[in-house]
Amino acid sequence: MSFARKVWHLIVAVKDGLSLVFLLLFFFALYAVLTARPSPAAVREGALLLKLDGTIVEEKSQVGLFDTLMSGQAPAAEYDVQELVHAIDAAAKDDRIKAVVLDLSRFVGGGQVHLEEVGAALDRVRKAKKPVLSWAVAYSDDGVLLASHASEVWVDPLGGAFVVGPGGNHLYYGELLKNLDVNARVYKVGTYKSAVEPYILDKMSDPARENYTQLYGALWSEWQANVLKARPQAKLAALTADPVGWFKAAGGDAATAARNAGLVDQLGDKVAFGKRVAAVAGEDAWDDMPGAYAKTELEPWIADNPLDDSGKAIGVVTIAGEIVDGDAGPGTAGGDRIAKVLDEALDDDLAGLVVRVDSPGGSVMASEEIRRAILRHKAKGIPVAVSMGNLAASGGYWVSTPAQRIFAEPDTITGSIGIFAVVPTFEKAAAKWGVHADGVKTTPLSGQPDLIGGLPPEADALLQGYIENGYGDFISRVAASRKMTAARVDEIGQGRVWDGGTARQIGLVDQYGGLSDALEWVAKQAKLGDGDWHAEYLGDEGRTTDTLLRRLLVGDSDARTASTDLFGTLAGRQQAQLAQIAADAERLGKAQGMQAYCLECASTLRTGPVGTLQGWLAKLIALIG
C-alpha cells in the first residue's frame, strides 16, 4: 500500500506539473497573439488609405481589457500623430503608393497643432506629384482643416462642411453648489487662474474673458490662415460672417453650399469617390464591390516602414495628457511612470534628450518628479530641448523649465503659470440634515481637515500660504530657466494663458518648430550630422505598431460607428458636454494636492466618444450624492 500510495502521488505530481506547463504555454500563446503586429505582407501597390475613424493624439492611451469590459463600450480609436506623419512621409517616397486617400467620415478631430503637422505631411505628398483625395459625409472644423490639404475634396451629396470656429460656453456650478450647501473652498494664486471659477461663480470672470478672447482670437486667425494657404479659393470670411445666408443661397443644400464656399470640390457618394480613386491608384483585383480600389491600410503600412534606428540615439520622452501622481498612462502623464522611464534611460548612451509636451498640466508633485528626472539627464551634460504640441500649460510648462531651448507652434497653448487647490466642505449640508461636529482639540488644527465640521481660519490660512509658496516655486523655476526676474515672470504669469506666437514674443518660447526641429537642434548641439542620429522613444518600444488587443477591443470601424451628418455631429457634442459635467464633478470630489492645471486649455482639444447618457448621469449623481 505504501508503494502504491507513492506511485499515486508521483502520478498526481506529474499531472499537476503538466497542467502548469500547458497553462503557462497557453498564456504565452495568448500574449503572443494579443501583441501580434500587422503583417507587412498586406502592403499592395495602389493608394494608402488613411481611414481616420477617431482622434489624432500625441500618445495613444492605454487600453485595459477589464475597464473596457466594465464600461460596456469599445474604446475610441486613436492615431499617434508622429506615427501618422511618418507613414505619410514614407508614402511620398515609395513608388508603390500612387495616391493618399483620407476617409474622414468618422473623424473626431485632434489638436490644431497636430492637424497642421499632418497637413504639412500631406503637402509633402502633393509636392512629390502624388494626389491626395479626401471624402466624408460631413466635415466640421477639424475635418475642414485636414481636408484643405487634399488635392481633391469630396463630400456626400447629403452632407456638407460646417465651420463654427473655436470657443463656446463653459459650465458653472456656483449656484448649484450653493443650493446643495456645498462650500467649495478655493486656494489659488493668479488673477487669470480660472480653473477654479466653475465651482465658485455662475459666469466667466472679466479677467478670464479678456484672456480667452485673446487666445481664441489667435487660434482662429491661425486656423483660417492655414486653411486659406492650402485652399486659397475658400470663401471663409463670407461663409462665417453669414452661414445661414450662405446656406439659403444654395437652396438649403449644405453640400452645394460647401462647394460654393470652396471648401469641397466634388459632390459624390462613397462609390463615386472610390471610382475616382481607382482611376488614379488602380482597380482592386481582389474586390469586385462597387467603389473598390487598390489600397494599403495604415497598420500594415506602418509595419512595413519602421522608424530608422541607425546612428546615435536622441531620446524622446512624451508627456501627454493630464499630469497625475502615480504610474498612470500612456495617454495620461503619470509622474512616477515618466520619471522611471527617464531614470531607466540614464545608463543609455543618449546623445541628447527631447521632451515632447502635450499636456494641460495637473499635479504639482508629479510635475516636479518629472522635472527632477529631466534634470538628472541634463546633469550628464547632454543637450535638452522641449517640443510643445497643442498644449504645454501650467504643469506642462513646469516640466518644460529644464530645457535649454523650447520649441512651439504659433497655435500652441502655453503659460498658465499659477497654482490652485479646491477643497469642498459640507458643514452647511450636514447641519441642514441634523449632523453636527464637536470634540476636544489640543491645537487649532486638531482633526483637520474636517470636511463635515468645516475648516477653521487657521487651516484656511495655512492652505493659502502653502499655495502661495508653491506659486513662488513655480515663478523661481521659470525665472531661472528663462533668465528673467521673478517680478517679470509674475507679470506674465498669474495663471494667464498664451498662444505660442505671443509666448515667443514675451520669452516663454524660444522659436517656432515641431518635434523634428527640436531633434535637429539637439543633434546640432551634440555635433551630429544628417544620418548620424535617430529618435528613440523612451519607454515606448511598440510605438510603430498597435497590438491585437487594441484592435480587438476597438473592433471593426464599420461596425462601431456609422458615417455621421450634421445632426450626428450635434449629438456627439451633446455627449461631450455631459462628459464635461461628470469630469467637473469628479475633479471637485476627488482628493488632490496642489494643482498646476489649465481647465480651459484642455477643453480646446477634441475627444472621442464619451459613453452613454445614462452612464454619465449615474456617475454625476453618485459624485454629488
Side-chain angles (χ1 to χ4, degrees), residues 548-610:
L548 181 59
L549 175 60
R550 173 183 284 274
R551 299 198 297 276
L552 287 173
L553 292 177
V554 170
D556 178 62
S557 60
D558 291 328
R560 183 173 65 256
T561 55
S563 301
T564 184
D565 58 11
L566 174 60
F567 285 95
T569 302
L570 292 175
R573 288 179 179 268
Q574 180 189 49
Q575 290 283 298
Q577 193 167 48
L578 291 169
Q580 185 61 55
I581 294 173
D584 290 344
E586 184 174 11
R587 183 171 296 280
L588 176 64
K590 69 181 181 181
Q592 301 179 99
M594 282 194 299
Q595 295 291 296
Y597 183 77
C598 181
L599 189 64
E600 292 80 1
C601 300
S603 70
T604 64
L605 294 180
R606 308 294 189 270
T607 57
V610 294

Short mmCIF file of all heavy atoms in Angstrom, two decimals, residues 548-610:
data_model
loop_
_atom_site.label_atom_id
_atom_site.label_comp_id
_atom_site.label_asym_id
_atom_site.label_seq_id
_atom_site.Cartn_x
_atom_site.Cartn_y
_atom_site.Cartn_z
N LEU A 548 -2.88 43.56 -31.13
CA LEU A 548 -4.16 42.96 -31.49
C LEU A 548 -5.19 43.23 -30.41
O LEU A 548 -6.38 43.36 -30.70
CB LEU A 548 -3.98 41.45 -31.71
CG LEU A 548 -5.23 40.68 -32.11
CD1 LEU A 548 -5.80 41.24 -33.40
CD2 LEU A 548 -4.94 39.20 -32.24
N LEU A 549 -4.74 43.34 -29.15
CA LEU A 549 -5.67 43.64 -28.05
C LEU A 549 -6.43 44.92 -28.34
O LEU A 549 -7.65 44.97 -28.23
CB LEU A 549 -4.90 43.76 -26.74
CG LEU A 549 -5.73 44.19 -25.52
CD1 LEU A 549 -6.84 43.19 -25.26
CD2 LEU A 549 -4.84 44.35 -24.30
N ARG A 550 -5.72 45.98 -28.73
CA ARG A 550 -6.41 47.24 -29.04
C ARG A 550 -7.34 47.05 -30.23
O ARG A 550 -8.49 47.50 -30.22
CB ARG A 550 -5.39 48.35 -29.35
CG ARG A 550 -6.06 49.64 -29.84
CD ARG A 550 -5.05 50.70 -30.20
NE ARG A 550 -4.49 51.31 -29.02
CZ ARG A 550 -5.05 52.34 -28.38
NH1 ARG A 550 -6.19 52.84 -28.80
NH2 ARG A 550 -4.49 52.85 -27.33
N ARG A 551 -6.85 46.36 -31.26
CA ARG A 551 -7.69 46.19 -32.45
C ARG A 551 -8.93 45.36 -32.16
O ARG A 551 -9.99 45.61 -32.71
CB ARG A 551 -6.86 45.57 -33.58
CG ARG A 551 -5.68 46.43 -33.99
CD ARG A 551 -5.14 46.03 -35.35
NE ARG A 551 -4.61 44.69 -35.37
CZ ARG A 551 -3.39 44.34 -34.99
NH1 ARG A 551 -2.57 45.27 -34.53
NH2 ARG A 551 -2.98 43.10 -35.07
N LEU A 552 -8.79 44.34 -31.29
CA LEU A 552 -9.94 43.53 -30.93
C LEU A 552 -10.96 44.34 -30.12
O LEU A 552 -12.16 44.24 -30.32
CB LEU A 552 -9.49 42.31 -30.12
CG LEU A 552 -8.78 41.21 -30.91
CD1 LEU A 552 -8.24 40.15 -29.95
CD2 LEU A 552 -9.73 40.56 -31.91
N LEU A 553 -10.45 45.17 -29.18
CA LEU A 553 -11.35 45.94 -28.33
C LEU A 553 -11.99 47.09 -29.09
O LEU A 553 -13.17 47.38 -28.92
CB LEU A 553 -10.59 46.47 -27.11
CG LEU A 553 -10.13 45.40 -26.11
CD1 LEU A 553 -9.33 46.05 -24.99
CD2 LEU A 553 -11.32 44.65 -25.52
N VAL A 554 -11.18 47.76 -29.93
CA VAL A 554 -11.74 48.86 -30.72
C VAL A 554 -12.72 48.30 -31.75
O VAL A 554 -13.76 48.87 -32.03
CB VAL A 554 -10.62 49.66 -31.41
CG1 VAL A 554 -11.19 50.63 -32.42
CG2 VAL A 554 -9.80 50.40 -30.36
N GLY A 555 -12.37 47.13 -32.30
CA GLY A 555 -13.27 46.46 -33.23
C GLY A 555 -13.23 47.07 -34.61
O GLY A 555 -12.47 48.00 -34.91
N ASP A 556 -14.03 46.50 -35.47
CA ASP A 556 -14.12 46.97 -36.84
C ASP A 556 -14.81 48.32 -36.88
O ASP A 556 -15.91 48.49 -36.36
CB ASP A 556 -14.90 45.96 -37.69
CG ASP A 556 -15.07 46.42 -39.12
OD1 ASP A 556 -14.05 46.59 -39.81
OD2 ASP A 556 -16.22 46.63 -39.53
N SER A 557 -14.18 49.27 -37.52
CA SER A 557 -14.71 50.64 -37.51
C SER A 557 -16.06 50.72 -38.20
O SER A 557 -16.90 51.53 -37.85
CB SER A 557 -13.71 51.59 -38.16
OG SER A 557 -13.46 51.20 -39.50
N ASP A 558 -16.27 49.89 -39.22
CA ASP A 558 -17.55 49.94 -39.92
C ASP A 558 -18.70 49.52 -39.01
O ASP A 558 -19.81 50.03 -39.10
CB ASP A 558 -17.52 49.02 -41.15
CG ASP A 558 -16.60 49.56 -42.22
OD1 ASP A 558 -16.49 50.79 -42.33
OD2 ASP A 558 -16.00 48.75 -42.95
N ALA A 559 -18.40 48.57 -38.09
CA ALA A 559 -19.45 48.10 -37.19
C ALA A 559 -19.62 49.02 -35.99
O ALA A 559 -20.70 49.12 -35.42
CB ALA A 559 -19.12 46.68 -36.71
N ARG A 560 -18.54 49.74 -35.60
CA ARG A 560 -18.58 50.50 -34.36
C ARG A 560 -19.38 51.78 -34.51
O ARG A 560 -20.18 52.15 -33.67
CB ARG A 560 -17.16 50.84 -33.90
CG ARG A 560 -17.12 51.56 -32.58
CD ARG A 560 -15.71 51.74 -32.06
NE ARG A 560 -14.91 52.58 -32.90
CZ ARG A 560 -13.97 52.11 -33.72
NH1 ARG A 560 -13.74 50.83 -33.82
NH2 ARG A 560 -13.26 52.93 -34.47
N THR A 561 -19.15 52.50 -35.58
CA THR A 561 -19.85 53.77 -35.77
C THR A 561 -20.25 53.93 -37.22
O THR A 561 -19.61 53.38 -38.12
CB THR A 561 -18.96 54.97 -35.39
OG1 THR A 561 -17.74 54.89 -36.14
CG2 THR A 561 -18.65 54.96 -33.91
N ALA A 562 -21.26 54.69 -37.46
CA ALA A 562 -21.69 54.95 -38.83
C ALA A 562 -21.25 56.35 -39.22
O ALA A 562 -20.98 57.20 -38.39
CB ALA A 562 -23.21 54.83 -38.91
N SER A 563 -21.19 56.58 -40.54
CA SER A 563 -20.89 57.91 -41.02
C SER A 563 -21.93 58.88 -40.49
O SER A 563 -23.12 58.57 -40.45
CB SER A 563 -20.89 57.92 -42.55
OG SER A 563 -19.94 57.02 -43.06
N THR A 564 -21.48 60.05 -40.08
CA THR A 564 -22.39 60.96 -39.39
C THR A 564 -22.61 62.24 -40.20
O THR A 564 -21.72 62.70 -40.92
CB THR A 564 -21.85 61.32 -38.00
OG1 THR A 564 -22.80 62.14 -37.32
CG2 THR A 564 -20.53 62.05 -38.08
N ASP A 565 -23.82 62.79 -40.11
CA ASP A 565 -24.13 64.05 -40.76
C ASP A 565 -24.12 65.16 -39.71
O ASP A 565 -23.59 64.99 -38.61
CB ASP A 565 -25.48 63.97 -41.48
CG ASP A 565 -26.63 63.61 -40.53
OD1 ASP A 565 -26.43 63.61 -39.30
OD2 ASP A 565 -27.73 63.34 -41.05
N LEU A 566 -24.76 66.30 -40.01
CA LEU A 566 -24.74 67.44 -39.11
C LEU A 566 -25.38 67.09 -37.76
O LEU A 566 -24.85 67.43 -36.70
CB LEU A 566 -25.47 68.63 -39.74
CG LEU A 566 -25.66 69.86 -38.86
CD1 LEU A 566 -24.32 70.41 -38.40
CD2 LEU A 566 -26.46 70.92 -39.60
N PHE A 567 -26.50 66.38 -37.80
CA PHE A 567 -27.18 66.06 -36.54
C PHE A 567 -26.41 65.02 -35.74
O PHE A 567 -26.45 65.03 -34.51
CB PHE A 567 -28.61 65.59 -36.83
CG PHE A 567 -29.53 66.73 -37.20
CD1 PHE A 567 -29.76 67.03 -38.53
CD2 PHE A 567 -30.11 67.52 -36.23
CE1 PHE A 567 -30.59 68.09 -38.88
CE2 PHE A 567 -30.95 68.58 -36.57
CZ PHE A 567 -31.18 68.87 -37.91
N GLY A 568 -25.70 64.14 -36.42
CA GLY A 568 -24.82 63.21 -35.71
C GLY A 568 -23.70 63.94 -35.00
O GLY A 568 -23.32 63.59 -33.87
N THR A 569 -23.17 64.96 -35.65
CA THR A 569 -22.14 65.78 -35.02
C THR A 569 -22.68 66.50 -33.79
O THR A 569 -22.02 66.58 -32.75
CB THR A 569 -21.59 66.81 -36.03
OG1 THR A 569 -21.08 66.11 -37.17
CG2 THR A 569 -20.48 67.64 -35.41
N LEU A 570 -23.91 67.03 -33.90
CA LEU A 570 -24.52 67.70 -32.76
C LEU A 570 -24.73 66.73 -31.59
O LEU A 570 -24.52 67.09 -30.43
CB LEU A 570 -25.87 68.31 -33.17
CG LEU A 570 -25.81 69.48 -34.15
CD1 LEU A 570 -27.21 69.90 -34.56
CD2 LEU A 570 -25.06 70.66 -33.54
N ALA A 571 -25.11 65.50 -31.91
CA ALA A 571 -25.29 64.50 -30.85
C ALA A 571 -23.98 64.21 -30.15
O ALA A 571 -23.92 64.05 -28.93
CB ALA A 571 -25.86 63.21 -31.45
N GLY A 572 -22.88 64.17 -30.92
CA GLY A 572 -21.56 63.95 -30.33
C GLY A 572 -21.17 65.08 -29.39
O GLY A 572 -20.60 64.85 -28.32
N ARG A 573 -21.50 66.31 -29.78
CA ARG A 573 -21.19 67.45 -28.91
C ARG A 573 -22.03 67.41 -27.63
O ARG A 573 -21.56 67.80 -26.56
CB ARG A 573 -21.43 68.76 -29.67
CG ARG A 573 -20.38 69.04 -30.74
CD ARG A 573 -20.67 70.34 -31.48
NE ARG A 573 -19.65 70.60 -32.48
CZ ARG A 573 -18.56 71.33 -32.26
NH1 ARG A 573 -18.34 71.84 -31.07
NH2 ARG A 573 -17.68 71.53 -33.22
N GLN A 574 -23.27 66.94 -27.73
CA GLN A 574 -24.11 66.81 -26.54
C GLN A 574 -23.50 65.81 -25.58
O GLN A 574 -23.43 66.04 -24.37
CB GLN A 574 -25.51 66.37 -26.95
CG GLN A 574 -26.48 66.20 -25.77
CD GLN A 574 -27.78 65.57 -26.20
OE1 GLN A 574 -27.78 64.55 -26.88
NE2 GLN A 574 -28.89 66.18 -25.82
N GLN A 575 -23.04 64.68 -26.11
CA GLN A 575 -22.41 63.68 -25.27
C GLN A 575 -21.15 64.25 -24.61
O GLN A 575 -20.86 63.98 -23.45
CB GLN A 575 -22.05 62.45 -26.11
CG GLN A 575 -23.24 61.63 -26.57
CD GLN A 575 -23.79 60.77 -25.44
OE1 GLN A 575 -23.11 59.91 -24.92
NE2 GLN A 575 -25.04 61.02 -25.09
N ALA A 576 -20.38 65.04 -25.37
CA ALA A 576 -19.16 65.63 -24.82
C ALA A 576 -19.48 66.58 -23.67
O ALA A 576 -18.74 66.65 -22.68
CB ALA A 576 -18.39 66.36 -25.92
N GLN A 577 -20.59 67.31 -23.78
CA GLN A 577 -20.95 68.23 -22.70
C GLN A 577 -21.36 67.46 -21.45
O GLN A 577 -21.02 67.85 -20.33
CB GLN A 577 -22.08 69.16 -23.15
CG GLN A 577 -22.31 70.34 -22.21
CD GLN A 577 -23.19 71.40 -22.81
OE1 GLN A 577 -24.25 71.10 -23.35
NE2 GLN A 577 -22.77 72.65 -22.74
N LEU A 578 -22.06 66.36 -21.62
CA LEU A 578 -22.40 65.52 -20.48
C LEU A 578 -21.14 64.96 -19.82
O LEU A 578 -21.04 64.88 -18.60
CB LEU A 578 -23.32 64.37 -20.92
CG LEU A 578 -24.73 64.78 -21.35
CD1 LEU A 578 -25.44 63.62 -22.02
CD2 LEU A 578 -25.53 65.28 -20.15
N ALA A 579 -20.18 64.59 -20.67
CA ALA A 579 -18.91 64.10 -20.12
C ALA A 579 -18.21 65.18 -19.32
O ALA A 579 -17.59 64.90 -18.29
CB ALA A 579 -18.01 63.62 -21.27
N GLN A 580 -18.31 66.43 -19.79
CA GLN A 580 -17.67 67.54 -19.07
C GLN A 580 -18.30 67.73 -17.70
O GLN A 580 -17.60 68.00 -16.72
CB GLN A 580 -17.79 68.83 -19.89
CG GLN A 580 -17.05 70.01 -19.28
CD GLN A 580 -15.56 69.75 -19.17
OE1 GLN A 580 -14.92 69.44 -20.16
NE2 GLN A 580 -15.01 69.84 -17.98
N ILE A 581 -19.61 67.58 -17.60
CA ILE A 581 -20.28 67.71 -16.31
C ILE A 581 -19.75 66.68 -15.33
O ILE A 581 -19.42 66.99 -14.19
CB ILE A 581 -21.81 67.57 -16.48
CG1 ILE A 581 -22.37 68.75 -17.29
CG2 ILE A 581 -22.49 67.50 -15.12
CD1 ILE A 581 -23.83 68.59 -17.66
N ALA A 582 -19.67 65.44 -15.80
CA ALA A 582 -19.19 64.37 -14.93
C ALA A 582 -17.73 64.58 -14.54
O ALA A 582 -17.34 64.37 -13.39
CB ALA A 582 -19.36 63.02 -15.62
N ALA A 583 -16.91 65.03 -15.49
CA ALA A 583 -15.50 65.26 -15.20
C ALA A 583 -15.32 66.39 -14.20
O ALA A 583 -14.48 66.31 -13.30
CB ALA A 583 -14.74 65.56 -16.49
N ASP A 584 -16.12 67.46 -14.34
CA ASP A 584 -16.03 68.57 -13.39
C ASP A 584 -16.43 68.13 -11.99
O ASP A 584 -15.81 68.53 -10.99
CB ASP A 584 -16.92 69.73 -13.86
CG ASP A 584 -16.39 70.43 -15.09
OD1 ASP A 584 -15.20 70.23 -15.41
OD2 ASP A 584 -17.16 71.15 -15.74
N ALA A 585 -17.48 67.30 -11.91
CA ALA A 585 -17.92 66.82 -10.61
C ALA A 585 -16.85 65.93 -9.97
O ALA A 585 -16.58 66.01 -8.77
CB ALA A 585 -19.23 66.05 -10.75
N GLU A 586 -16.22 65.10 -10.80
CA GLU A 586 -15.18 64.22 -10.28
C GLU A 586 -13.97 65.02 -9.81
O GLU A 586 -13.37 64.72 -8.78
CB GLU A 586 -14.76 63.21 -11.35
CG GLU A 586 -13.74 62.20 -10.86
CD GLU A 586 -13.45 61.13 -11.89
OE1 GLU A 586 -13.89 61.29 -13.05
OE2 GLU A 586 -12.79 60.14 -11.54
N ARG A 587 -13.62 66.06 -10.56
CA ARG A 587 -12.48 66.88 -10.19
C ARG A 587 -12.71 67.57 -8.84
O ARG A 587 -11.79 67.71 -8.05
CB ARG A 587 -12.23 67.94 -11.28
CG ARG A 587 -11.00 68.80 -11.04
CD ARG A 587 -10.72 69.65 -12.26
NE ARG A 587 -10.37 68.81 -13.38
CZ ARG A 587 -9.15 68.27 -13.56
NH1 ARG A 587 -8.20 68.50 -12.69
NH2 ARG A 587 -8.91 67.51 -14.59
N LEU A 588 -13.94 67.99 -8.59
CA LEU A 588 -14.25 68.62 -7.31
C LEU A 588 -14.24 67.59 -6.18
O LEU A 588 -13.76 67.87 -5.08
CB LEU A 588 -15.62 69.30 -7.38
CG LEU A 588 -16.14 69.93 -6.07
CD1 LEU A 588 -15.22 71.07 -5.64
CD2 LEU A 588 -17.56 70.43 -6.25
N GLY A 589 -14.74 66.38 -6.46
CA GLY A 589 -14.95 65.43 -5.40
C GLY A 589 -13.74 64.63 -4.98
O GLY A 589 -13.64 64.21 -3.83
N LYS A 590 -12.80 64.40 -5.89
CA LYS A 590 -11.69 63.53 -5.51
C LYS A 590 -10.58 64.34 -4.84
O LYS A 590 -10.36 65.51 -5.14
CB LYS A 590 -11.14 62.79 -6.74
CG LYS A 590 -10.42 63.65 -7.75
CD LYS A 590 -9.96 62.80 -8.93
CE LYS A 590 -9.20 63.64 -9.95
NZ LYS A 590 -8.77 62.85 -11.11
N ALA A 591 -9.88 63.69 -3.92
CA ALA A 591 -8.80 64.35 -3.18
C ALA A 591 -7.61 64.59 -4.09
O ALA A 591 -7.16 63.69 -4.78
CB ALA A 591 -8.40 63.50 -1.99
N GLN A 592 -7.09 65.80 -4.10
CA GLN A 592 -5.94 66.15 -4.93
C GLN A 592 -5.03 67.09 -4.15
O GLN A 592 -5.47 67.80 -3.26
CB GLN A 592 -6.38 66.84 -6.22
CG GLN A 592 -7.32 66.02 -7.08
CD GLN A 592 -7.73 66.78 -8.32
OE1 GLN A 592 -7.19 66.58 -9.40
NE2 GLN A 592 -8.68 67.68 -8.16
N GLY A 593 -3.76 67.10 -4.54
CA GLY A 593 -2.84 68.06 -3.97
C GLY A 593 -2.88 69.36 -4.74
O GLY A 593 -3.84 69.67 -5.43
N MET A 594 -1.80 70.15 -4.61
CA MET A 594 -1.70 71.39 -5.37
C MET A 594 -1.79 71.09 -6.86
O MET A 594 -1.22 70.11 -7.35
CB MET A 594 -0.37 72.08 -5.09
CG MET A 594 -0.29 72.83 -3.79
SD MET A 594 1.14 73.93 -3.75
CE MET A 594 2.49 72.75 -3.92
N GLN A 595 -2.50 71.95 -7.58
CA GLN A 595 -2.70 71.73 -9.00
C GLN A 595 -2.13 72.89 -9.82
O GLN A 595 -2.39 74.06 -9.50
CB GLN A 595 -4.20 71.58 -9.31
CG GLN A 595 -4.84 70.36 -8.68
CD GLN A 595 -4.34 69.08 -9.31
OE1 GLN A 595 -4.54 68.81 -10.49
NE2 GLN A 595 -3.67 68.27 -8.50
N ALA A 596 -1.36 72.52 -10.83
CA ALA A 596 -0.95 73.48 -11.85
C ALA A 596 -1.59 72.97 -13.13
O ALA A 596 -1.00 72.24 -13.90
CB ALA A 596 0.58 73.53 -11.98
N TYR A 597 -2.86 73.34 -13.31
CA TYR A 597 -3.69 72.75 -14.35
C TYR A 597 -4.46 73.84 -15.06
O TYR A 597 -4.91 74.81 -14.42
CB TYR A 597 -4.67 71.74 -13.73
CG TYR A 597 -5.54 71.01 -14.71
CD1 TYR A 597 -5.04 69.97 -15.47
CD2 TYR A 597 -6.88 71.37 -14.88
CE1 TYR A 597 -5.86 69.29 -16.37
CE2 TYR A 597 -7.70 70.71 -15.79
CZ TYR A 597 -7.18 69.65 -16.53
OH TYR A 597 -7.98 68.99 -17.42
N CYS A 598 -4.64 73.70 -16.37
CA CYS A 598 -5.38 74.67 -17.16
C CYS A 598 -6.65 74.01 -17.67
O CYS A 598 -6.61 73.28 -18.67
CB CYS A 598 -4.52 75.18 -18.31
SG CYS A 598 -5.33 76.43 -19.33
N LEU A 599 -7.76 74.21 -16.96
CA LEU A 599 -9.01 73.54 -17.30
C LEU A 599 -9.51 73.95 -18.67
O LEU A 599 -9.91 73.11 -19.48
CB LEU A 599 -10.06 73.88 -16.23
CG LEU A 599 -11.38 73.10 -16.27
CD1 LEU A 599 -11.15 71.63 -16.01
CD2 LEU A 599 -12.36 73.68 -15.26
N GLU A 600 -9.49 75.24 -18.97
CA GLU A 600 -9.99 75.72 -20.26
C GLU A 600 -9.10 75.26 -21.41
O GLU A 600 -9.58 75.04 -22.52
CB GLU A 600 -10.10 77.25 -20.26
CG GLU A 600 -11.18 77.79 -19.33
CD GLU A 600 -10.73 77.83 -17.88
OE1 GLU A 600 -9.58 77.45 -17.60
OE2 GLU A 600 -11.54 78.24 -17.03
N CYS A 601 -7.78 75.13 -21.15
CA CYS A 601 -6.87 74.67 -22.21
C CYS A 601 -7.28 73.29 -22.68
O CYS A 601 -7.35 73.00 -23.87
CB CYS A 601 -5.43 74.62 -21.71
SG CYS A 601 -4.80 76.20 -21.17
N ALA A 602 -7.57 72.39 -21.72
CA ALA A 602 -7.94 71.02 -22.06
C ALA A 602 -9.22 70.99 -22.88
O ALA A 602 -9.40 70.13 -23.74
CB ALA A 602 -8.11 70.20 -20.79
N SER A 603 -10.11 71.95 -22.67
CA SER A 603 -11.39 71.95 -23.38
C SER A 603 -11.24 72.35 -24.84
O SER A 603 -12.18 72.20 -25.62
CB SER A 603 -12.38 72.89 -22.69
OG SER A 603 -11.99 74.24 -22.86
N THR A 604 -10.07 72.86 -25.24
CA THR A 604 -9.88 73.23 -26.64
C THR A 604 -9.60 72.02 -27.52
O THR A 604 -9.65 72.11 -28.74
CB THR A 604 -8.70 74.22 -26.81
OG1 THR A 604 -7.48 73.57 -26.40
CG2 THR A 604 -8.92 75.46 -25.99
N LEU A 605 -9.28 70.86 -26.90
CA LEU A 605 -8.98 69.66 -27.67
C LEU A 605 -10.24 68.88 -27.94
O LEU A 605 -11.16 68.84 -27.14
CB LEU A 605 -7.99 68.77 -26.92
CG LEU A 605 -6.59 69.34 -26.74
CD1 LEU A 605 -5.73 68.34 -25.99
CD2 LEU A 605 -5.96 69.68 -28.07
N ARG A 606 -10.26 68.17 -29.09
CA ARG A 606 -11.37 67.28 -29.40
C ARG A 606 -11.11 65.94 -28.72
O ARG A 606 -9.98 65.50 -28.65
CB ARG A 606 -11.50 67.06 -30.91
CG ARG A 606 -11.55 68.34 -31.72
CD ARG A 606 -12.81 69.14 -31.43
NE ARG A 606 -12.93 70.25 -32.36
CZ ARG A 606 -12.44 71.44 -32.16
NH1 ARG A 606 -11.75 71.69 -31.08
NH2 ARG A 606 -12.61 72.41 -33.03
N THR A 607 -12.16 65.31 -28.27
CA THR A 607 -12.02 64.00 -27.66
C THR A 607 -12.95 63.02 -28.35
O THR A 607 -13.83 63.41 -29.13
CB THR A 607 -12.37 64.03 -26.17
OG1 THR A 607 -13.69 64.54 -26.02
CG2 THR A 607 -11.40 64.90 -25.40
N GLY A 608 -12.76 61.76 -28.05
CA GLY A 608 -13.55 60.72 -28.69
C GLY A 608 -14.89 60.53 -28.02
O GLY A 608 -15.34 61.32 -27.20
N PRO A 609 -15.60 59.45 -28.40
CA PRO A 609 -16.89 59.14 -27.81
C PRO A 609 -16.80 59.08 -26.29
O PRO A 609 -15.81 58.63 -25.74
CB PRO A 609 -17.23 57.77 -28.40
CG PRO A 609 -16.48 57.74 -29.69
CD PRO A 609 -15.22 58.49 -29.44
N VAL A 610 -17.82 59.52 -25.61
CA VAL A 610 -17.72 59.72 -24.17
C VAL A 610 -18.68 58.86 -23.35
O VAL A 610 -18.83 59.07 -22.16
CB VAL A 610 -17.98 61.20 -23.84
CG1 VAL A 610 -16.90 62.06 -24.40
CG2 VAL A 610 -19.36 61.63 -24.35
#
